[in-house]
Amino acid sequence: MHECFARECFALPAPGPGQLLQRTHLLSIDICAHTRMQVDAGPADRLDLGQVMPCATVSQVVASRHRGFREGEYVPAHSGWQTHEGVDASEIRRKLYPNVAPVATALGIYGLYGYIAWSAVREVCQPKAGDTAVVVAAAGPIGATVCQLLQARQARVVAVTSGAEKCAHVRRSFAPAVVLDRDAPGFEDALREACPDGVDIFVENVDGRCINPVLPLLNRFARVPLCGALDEEWNRSTGDRLPTFLNAMLERQLQVRPFTSRDITRPHPQYLVDPQFVSELGALLRSGQLRWHEEVMEGLDALPLALERLVRGENLGKLLVRLD
Protein backbone atom coordinates (compact mmCIF):
# COMPACT_ATOMS: atom_id res chain seq x y z
CA MET A 1 0.00 0.00 0.00
CA HIS A 2 3.03 2.30 0.42
CA GLU A 3 3.26 2.72 -3.36
CA CYS A 4 -0.16 4.42 -3.36
CA PHE A 5 1.13 7.38 -1.34
CA ALA A 6 3.65 10.16 -1.87
CA ARG A 7 5.04 12.66 0.61
CA GLU A 8 5.04 16.34 -0.35
CA CYS A 9 6.45 19.34 1.52
CA PHE A 10 4.99 22.84 1.57
CA ALA A 11 5.66 26.05 3.48
CA LEU A 12 3.54 26.40 6.61
CA PRO A 13 0.66 28.85 6.16
CA ALA A 14 0.56 31.93 8.38
CA PRO A 15 -2.84 32.21 10.08
CA GLY A 16 -4.94 35.22 9.16
CA PRO A 17 -7.45 36.99 11.41
CA GLY A 18 -9.73 34.45 13.12
CA GLN A 19 -7.54 31.54 12.02
CA LEU A 20 -5.33 28.92 13.67
CA LEU A 21 -2.27 26.96 12.61
CA GLN A 22 -2.52 23.43 14.00
CA ARG A 23 0.09 20.70 14.35
CA THR A 24 -1.26 17.17 14.01
CA HIS A 25 -0.64 15.11 17.12
CA LEU A 26 -2.75 11.93 16.64
CA LEU A 27 -4.52 10.54 13.59
CA SER A 28 -7.43 8.12 13.50
CA ILE A 29 -6.96 5.14 11.16
CA ASP A 30 -10.36 4.22 9.72
CA ILE A 31 -11.54 1.68 7.17
CA CYS A 32 -13.15 4.48 5.12
CA ALA A 33 -9.59 5.45 4.06
CA HIS A 34 -9.33 2.14 2.22
CA THR A 35 -12.77 2.69 0.68
CA ARG A 36 -11.66 6.08 -0.70
CA MET A 37 -8.77 4.41 -2.53
CA GLN A 38 -11.03 2.10 -4.57
CA VAL A 39 -11.76 2.86 -8.21
CA ASP A 40 -15.47 2.18 -7.68
CA ALA A 41 -15.80 4.49 -4.65
CA GLY A 42 -18.84 6.76 -4.79
CA PRO A 43 -18.50 10.50 -5.53
CA ALA A 44 -18.85 11.37 -1.83
CA ASP A 45 -16.03 9.02 -0.83
CA ARG A 46 -13.62 9.00 -3.77
CA LEU A 47 -10.19 10.52 -3.21
CA ASP A 48 -8.49 12.01 -6.25
CA LEU A 49 -4.77 11.88 -6.91
CA GLY A 50 -2.89 14.60 -5.07
CA GLN A 51 -5.48 15.04 -2.33
CA VAL A 52 -4.65 14.64 1.36
CA MET A 53 -6.22 11.51 2.88
CA PRO A 54 -8.96 12.79 5.22
CA CYS A 55 -9.26 11.54 8.80
CA ALA A 56 -10.14 12.78 12.25
CA THR A 57 -7.20 14.07 14.28
CA VAL A 58 -6.19 15.49 17.60
CA SER A 59 -4.22 18.64 16.84
CA GLN A 60 -2.34 21.24 18.88
CA VAL A 61 -2.57 24.97 18.28
CA VAL A 62 0.86 26.33 17.37
CA ALA A 63 -0.25 29.81 16.25
CA SER A 64 -3.52 31.61 16.90
CA ARG A 65 -5.15 34.79 15.68
CA HIS A 66 -8.40 34.12 17.51
CA ARG A 67 -8.87 35.18 21.11
CA GLY A 68 -10.71 31.95 21.97
CA PHE A 69 -7.64 29.75 21.39
CA ARG A 70 -4.12 29.86 22.76
CA GLU A 71 -0.90 28.24 21.63
CA GLY A 72 -0.42 24.79 23.12
CA GLU A 73 -4.12 23.93 23.43
CA TYR A 74 -5.41 20.64 22.00
CA VAL A 75 -8.48 20.44 19.77
CA PRO A 76 -10.34 17.75 17.82
CA ALA A 77 -9.90 18.42 14.11
CA HIS A 78 -10.12 16.78 10.72
CA SER A 79 -6.67 17.58 9.34
CA GLY A 80 -6.07 14.24 7.65
CA TRP A 81 -2.69 12.74 6.79
CA GLN A 82 -0.55 15.86 7.17
CA THR A 83 1.60 17.39 9.88
CA HIS A 84 0.01 20.87 9.94
CA GLU A 85 -3.13 22.63 8.81
CA GLY A 86 -4.42 26.18 8.80
CA VAL A 87 -8.12 26.47 9.69
CA ASP A 88 -10.75 29.01 10.60
CA ALA A 89 -11.32 28.92 14.35
CA SER A 90 -15.06 28.65 13.69
CA GLU A 91 -14.45 25.08 12.46
CA ILE A 92 -13.28 23.96 15.91
CA ARG A 93 -16.22 22.95 18.09
CA ARG A 94 -14.44 22.42 21.41
CA LYS A 95 -11.13 22.10 23.21
CA LEU A 96 -9.53 19.02 24.76
CA TYR A 97 -8.22 19.00 28.32
CA PRO A 98 -5.48 16.44 29.03
CA ASN A 99 -6.01 16.80 32.78
CA VAL A 100 -9.63 15.63 32.35
CA ALA A 101 -9.12 12.77 29.87
CA PRO A 102 -6.29 11.65 27.57
CA VAL A 103 -6.62 13.56 24.33
CA ALA A 104 -6.60 10.30 22.33
CA THR A 105 -10.07 9.53 23.68
CA ALA A 106 -11.43 12.26 21.38
CA LEU A 107 -10.73 9.84 18.51
CA GLY A 108 -12.34 6.92 20.28
CA ILE A 109 -14.44 6.52 23.38
CA TYR A 110 -15.28 10.25 23.63
CA GLY A 111 -15.42 10.67 19.87
CA LEU A 112 -17.32 9.28 16.91
CA TYR A 113 -16.64 5.61 17.70
CA GLY A 114 -17.90 5.86 21.23
CA TYR A 115 -20.90 7.89 20.15
CA ILE A 116 -21.90 5.37 17.47
CA ALA A 117 -21.71 2.54 20.02
CA TRP A 118 -23.62 4.47 22.68
CA SER A 119 -26.31 5.63 20.26
CA ALA A 120 -26.75 2.17 18.75
CA VAL A 121 -27.27 0.63 22.19
CA ARG A 122 -29.58 3.38 23.43
CA GLU A 123 -31.67 3.97 20.31
CA VAL A 124 -31.71 0.60 18.52
CA CYS A 125 -30.58 -2.25 20.77
CA GLN A 126 -32.64 -1.05 23.77
CA PRO A 127 -31.46 -4.03 25.85
CA LYS A 128 -33.47 -5.57 28.66
CA ALA A 129 -32.01 -7.62 31.47
CA GLY A 130 -31.48 -11.17 30.26
CA ASP A 131 -31.49 -10.36 26.52
CA THR A 132 -28.99 -12.35 24.47
CA ALA A 133 -26.85 -10.13 22.26
CA VAL A 134 -24.43 -11.32 19.56
CA VAL A 135 -21.83 -8.66 18.81
CA VAL A 136 -19.42 -9.19 15.90
CA ALA A 137 -15.99 -7.50 15.73
CA ALA A 138 -15.97 -7.47 19.52
CA ALA A 139 -12.27 -6.57 19.66
CA GLY A 140 -12.77 -3.42 17.59
CA PRO A 141 -13.48 0.06 18.97
CA ILE A 142 -17.23 0.02 18.26
CA GLY A 143 -17.85 -3.65 18.99
CA ALA A 144 -15.96 -3.64 22.30
CA THR A 145 -17.84 -0.57 23.52
CA VAL A 146 -21.21 -2.00 22.43
CA CYS A 147 -20.45 -5.22 24.33
CA GLN A 148 -19.66 -3.37 27.54
CA LEU A 149 -22.62 -1.00 27.30
CA LEU A 150 -24.92 -3.99 26.81
CA GLN A 151 -23.34 -5.75 29.79
CA ALA A 152 -23.86 -2.64 31.91
CA ARG A 153 -27.57 -3.02 31.11
CA GLN A 154 -27.55 -6.71 32.17
CA ALA A 155 -27.70 -8.22 28.68
CA ARG A 156 -25.98 -11.55 28.10
CA VAL A 157 -23.29 -10.86 25.51
CA VAL A 158 -21.92 -13.39 23.03
CA ALA A 159 -18.82 -11.67 21.64
CA VAL A 160 -17.53 -12.76 18.23
CA THR A 161 -14.08 -11.92 16.92
CA SER A 162 -11.33 -13.62 14.90
CA GLY A 163 -8.22 -15.43 16.06
CA ALA A 164 -6.93 -16.67 19.41
CA GLU A 165 -5.18 -13.38 20.27
CA LYS A 166 -8.32 -11.29 19.85
CA CYS A 167 -10.44 -13.82 21.73
CA ALA A 168 -8.00 -13.71 24.65
CA HIS A 169 -7.99 -9.90 24.55
CA VAL A 170 -11.79 -9.73 24.70
CA ARG A 171 -12.00 -12.21 27.60
CA ARG A 172 -9.31 -10.34 29.51
CA SER A 173 -10.71 -6.87 28.83
CA PHE A 174 -14.40 -7.19 29.70
CA ALA A 175 -15.30 -10.88 30.22
CA PRO A 176 -18.49 -11.35 28.20
CA ALA A 177 -20.62 -14.42 28.80
CA VAL A 178 -19.21 -16.18 25.74
CA VAL A 179 -16.35 -15.39 23.34
CA LEU A 180 -16.31 -17.13 19.95
CA ASP A 181 -13.75 -17.23 17.15
CA ARG A 182 -15.66 -16.86 13.89
CA ASP A 183 -12.78 -18.49 11.97
CA ALA A 184 -12.55 -21.57 14.21
CA PRO A 185 -13.89 -24.95 13.07
CA GLY A 186 -17.36 -25.57 14.41
CA PHE A 187 -18.17 -21.88 14.85
CA GLU A 188 -21.81 -22.24 13.80
CA ASP A 189 -22.41 -25.12 16.22
CA ALA A 190 -20.73 -23.16 19.02
CA LEU A 191 -22.90 -20.14 18.24
CA ARG A 192 -26.10 -22.18 18.47
CA GLU A 193 -24.97 -23.64 21.78
CA ALA A 194 -24.17 -20.15 23.08
CA CYS A 195 -27.68 -18.90 22.24
CA PRO A 196 -30.10 -21.59 23.47
CA ASP A 197 -32.92 -19.05 23.83
CA GLY A 198 -32.24 -17.33 20.51
CA VAL A 199 -30.81 -13.89 19.80
CA ASP A 200 -32.53 -10.65 20.82
CA ILE A 201 -29.83 -8.22 19.61
CA PHE A 202 -27.45 -8.67 16.69
CA VAL A 203 -24.69 -6.15 15.96
CA GLU A 204 -22.72 -6.92 12.78
CA ASN A 205 -20.64 -4.18 11.18
CA VAL A 206 -17.76 -5.92 9.44
CA ASP A 207 -18.03 -8.24 6.44
CA GLY A 208 -21.38 -9.97 6.89
CA ARG A 209 -20.07 -13.50 7.24
CA CYS A 210 -21.94 -13.96 10.54
CA ILE A 211 -25.35 -13.08 9.09
CA ASN A 212 -26.12 -16.59 7.83
CA PRO A 213 -25.43 -18.43 11.10
CA VAL A 214 -27.23 -15.78 13.21
CA LEU A 215 -30.35 -15.40 11.03
CA PRO A 216 -32.03 -18.66 12.14
CA LEU A 217 -31.41 -17.71 15.78
CA LEU A 218 -33.02 -14.26 15.70
CA ASN A 219 -36.05 -14.01 17.96
CA ARG A 220 -39.21 -12.17 17.07
CA PHE A 221 -38.71 -8.41 17.40
CA ALA A 222 -34.93 -8.81 17.52
CA ARG A 223 -33.06 -5.51 17.20
CA VAL A 224 -30.37 -5.23 14.53
CA PRO A 225 -28.46 -1.92 14.34
CA LEU A 226 -26.55 -1.69 11.08
CA CYS A 227 -23.53 0.34 12.18
CA GLY A 228 -21.47 0.08 9.02
CA ALA A 229 -21.36 -1.14 5.45
CA LEU A 230 -20.62 -4.84 4.96
CA ASP A 231 -17.77 -6.11 2.84
CA GLU A 232 -19.15 -6.37 -0.71
CA GLU A 233 -16.28 -8.58 -1.88
CA TRP A 234 -17.18 -11.18 0.74
CA ASN A 235 -20.84 -10.99 -0.22
CA ARG A 236 -20.04 -11.46 -3.91
CA SER A 237 -17.86 -14.48 -3.21
CA THR A 238 -20.50 -16.24 -1.10
CA GLY A 239 -23.71 -15.40 -2.96
CA ASP A 240 -26.50 -12.90 -2.48
CA ARG A 241 -28.10 -13.19 0.98
CA LEU A 242 -30.38 -10.18 0.61
CA PRO A 243 -33.61 -12.13 -0.18
CA THR A 244 -33.09 -14.34 2.86
CA PHE A 245 -32.42 -11.34 5.06
CA LEU A 246 -35.48 -9.45 3.80
CA ASN A 247 -37.69 -12.51 4.36
CA ALA A 248 -36.40 -12.77 7.92
CA MET A 249 -37.21 -9.08 8.48
CA LEU A 250 -40.77 -9.70 7.26
CA GLU A 251 -41.48 -12.98 9.03
CA ARG A 252 -39.96 -12.01 12.40
CA GLN A 253 -40.69 -8.28 12.29
CA LEU A 254 -37.05 -7.45 12.91
CA GLN A 255 -36.33 -3.85 13.81
CA VAL A 256 -33.48 -2.98 11.46
CA ARG A 257 -32.14 0.54 11.28
CA PRO A 258 -29.21 1.85 9.23
CA PHE A 259 -26.82 3.55 11.62
CA THR A 260 -23.75 5.18 10.10
CA SER A 261 -21.41 7.97 11.09
CA ARG A 262 -23.08 10.25 8.52
CA ASP A 263 -26.40 9.92 10.33
CA ILE A 264 -24.71 11.21 13.46
CA THR A 265 -22.47 13.94 12.08
CA ARG A 266 -24.95 15.49 9.67
CA PRO A 267 -26.27 18.12 9.87
CA HIS A 268 -24.09 18.75 12.94
CA PRO A 269 -21.51 16.71 14.90
CA GLN A 270 -23.77 16.06 17.87
CA TYR A 271 -21.31 13.73 19.58
CA LEU A 272 -18.98 16.69 20.20
CA VAL A 273 -21.46 18.43 22.47
CA ASP A 274 -23.92 15.80 23.78
CA PRO A 275 -23.74 16.07 27.60
CA GLN A 276 -25.67 12.85 28.20
CA PHE A 277 -23.19 10.88 26.10
CA VAL A 278 -20.16 12.31 27.92
CA SER A 279 -21.79 11.93 31.33
CA GLU A 280 -22.89 8.32 30.90
CA LEU A 281 -19.68 7.02 29.35
CA GLY A 282 -17.58 9.02 31.79
CA ALA A 283 -19.35 7.40 34.75
CA LEU A 284 -18.84 3.91 33.30
CA LEU A 285 -15.17 4.58 32.62
CA ARG A 286 -14.54 5.89 36.14
CA SER A 287 -16.34 2.94 37.72
CA GLY A 288 -14.33 0.42 35.72
CA GLN A 289 -17.40 -0.96 33.93
CA LEU A 290 -16.07 0.28 30.58
CA ARG A 291 -12.56 -0.25 29.27
CA TRP A 292 -11.03 1.28 26.17
CA HIS A 293 -8.05 -0.13 24.27
CA GLU A 294 -5.81 1.73 21.84
CA GLU A 295 -2.96 0.68 19.59
CA VAL A 296 -0.58 3.51 18.65
CA MET A 297 1.96 3.49 15.82
CA GLU A 298 4.59 6.19 15.40
CA GLY A 299 5.41 8.59 12.59
CA LEU A 300 4.08 9.84 9.27
CA ASP A 301 5.64 6.92 7.40
CA ALA A 302 3.64 4.48 9.53
CA LEU A 303 0.31 5.66 8.09
CA PRO A 304 0.14 3.25 5.09
CA LEU A 305 1.31 0.36 7.27
CA ALA A 306 -1.32 1.22 9.88
CA LEU A 307 -4.03 1.19 7.22
CA GLU A 308 -2.78 -2.20 5.98
CA ARG A 309 -3.00 -3.58 9.52
CA LEU A 310 -6.56 -2.29 9.84
CA VAL A 311 -7.65 -3.79 6.50
CA ARG A 312 -6.14 -7.16 7.49
CA GLY A 313 -7.82 -7.02 10.89
CA GLU A 314 -4.53 -7.19 12.79
CA ASN A 315 -5.17 -4.32 15.22
CA LEU A 316 -6.60 -4.58 18.71
CA GLY A 317 -8.99 -1.78 19.64
CA LYS A 318 -8.73 1.73 18.19
CA LEU A 319 -5.78 2.19 15.85
CA LEU A 320 -3.99 5.56 15.98
CA VAL A 321 -0.79 7.07 14.55
CA ARG A 322 1.16 9.61 16.58
CA LEU A 323 3.31 12.19 14.78
CA ASP A 324 5.41 13.44 17.68
Side-chain angles (χ1 to χ4, degrees):
M1 195 172 290
H2 277 269
E3 66 276 8
C4 298
F5 296 92
R7 178 186 288 202
E8 296 184 357
C9 297
F10 301 92
L12 294 181
Q19 294 183 332
L20 311 173
L21 176 62
Q22 304 174 148
R23 178 177 57 83
T24 307
H25 174 57
L26 288 166
L27 301 96
S28 176
I29 305 302
D30 309 301
I31 198 63
C32 58
H34 185 252
T35 302
R36 291 188 176 99
M37 297 170 63
Q38 308 307 306
V39 294
D40 57 352
D45 297 316
R46 185 170 54 245
L47 192 69
D48 294 327
L49 289 175
Q51 287 186 293
V52 174
M53 176 65 77
C55 77
T57 65
V58 167
S59 300
Q60 189 174 30
V61 178
V62 295
S64 172
R65 293 193 63 187
H66 187 283
R67 62 182 181 180
F69 295 89
R70 295 182 297 177
E71 294 180 11
E73 292 181 323
Y74 288 95
V75 295
H78 205 80
S79 299
W81 291 19
Q82 56 185 344
T83 61
H84 295 76
E85 184 188 30
V87 298
D88 289 331
S90 60
E91 298 178 18
I92 306 301
R93 299 296 297 264
R94 63 181 172 122
K95 300 178 184 180
L96 303 175
Y97 300 94
N99 60 326
V100 175
V103 294
T105 58
L107 299 177
I109 195 67
Y110 282 138
L112 182 58
Y113 286 84
Y115 196 76
I116 288 174
W118 176 75
S119 299
V121 170
R122 185 183 66 162
E123 298 182 19
V124 185
C125 297
Q126 299 182 355
K128 302 181 294 293
D131 278 351
T132 294
V134 173
V135 182
V136 183
I142 294 177
T145 305
V146 166
C147 285
Q148 295 174 81
L149 293 176
L150 290 171
Q151 288 179 158
R153 291 161 172 79
Q154 287 77 54
R156 178 177 175 273
V157 172
V158 177
V160 179
T161 186
S162 57
E165 181 183 5
K166 289 186 177 182
C167 286
H169 168 74
V170 168
R171 290 191 189 94
R172 182 173 60 250
S173 297
F174 50 88
V178 181
V179 180
L180 298 178
D181 182 350
R182 70 181 185 187
D183 296 331
F187 164 69
E188 295 191 19
D189 291 336
L191 181 64
R192 283 193 294 270
E193 292 176 6
C195 306
D197 298 320
V199 175
D200 303 296
I201 297 167
F202 176 42
V203 183
E204 158 70 283
N205 59 359
V206 188
D207 53 26
R209 72 180 70 185
C210 289
I211 290 178
N212 268 351
V214 172
L215 265 177
L217 306 177
L218 290 174
N219 291 326
R220 203 166 178 228
F221 300 115
R223 284 84 73 198
V224 186
L226 300 178
C227 297
L230 304 181
D231 189 329
E232 293 185 7
E233 183 176 348
W234 172 265
N235 291 338
R236 285 193 295 267
S237 67
T238 55
D240 185 4
R241 292 189 295 269
L242 182 59
T244 303
F245 188 55
L246 293 176
N247 286 337
M249 290 173 58
L250 178 65
E251 293 167 5
R252 295 174 216 174
Q253 296 177 277
L254 305 181
Q255 300 175 40
V256 181
R257 173 183 167 183
F259 208 82
T260 70
S261 61
R262 290 177 182 173
D263 298 319
I264 290 173
T265 58
R266 296 177 183 174
H268 57 278
Q270 183 65 28
Y271 70 96
L272 292 177
V273 294
D274 191 321
Q276 186 176 353
F277 160 62
V278 174
S279 175
E280 183 175 342
L281 263 67
L284 291 171
L285 285 164
R286 289 190 296 273
S287 69
Q289 292 180 270
L290 180 60
R291 296 185 179 183
W292 178 256
H293 185 79
E294 295 166 350
E295 180 179 333
V296 182
M297 300 177 68
E298 301 285 346
L300 197 65
D301 290 335
L303 287 164
L305 177 60
L307 183 56
E308 288 179 4
R309 284 180 54 76
L310 185 71
V311 171
R312 293 195 297 260
E314 296 174 354
N315 61 295
L316 286 174
K318 182 70 190 90
L319 185 56
L320 305 171
V321 170
R322 181 165 45 216
L323 297 193
D324 57 352

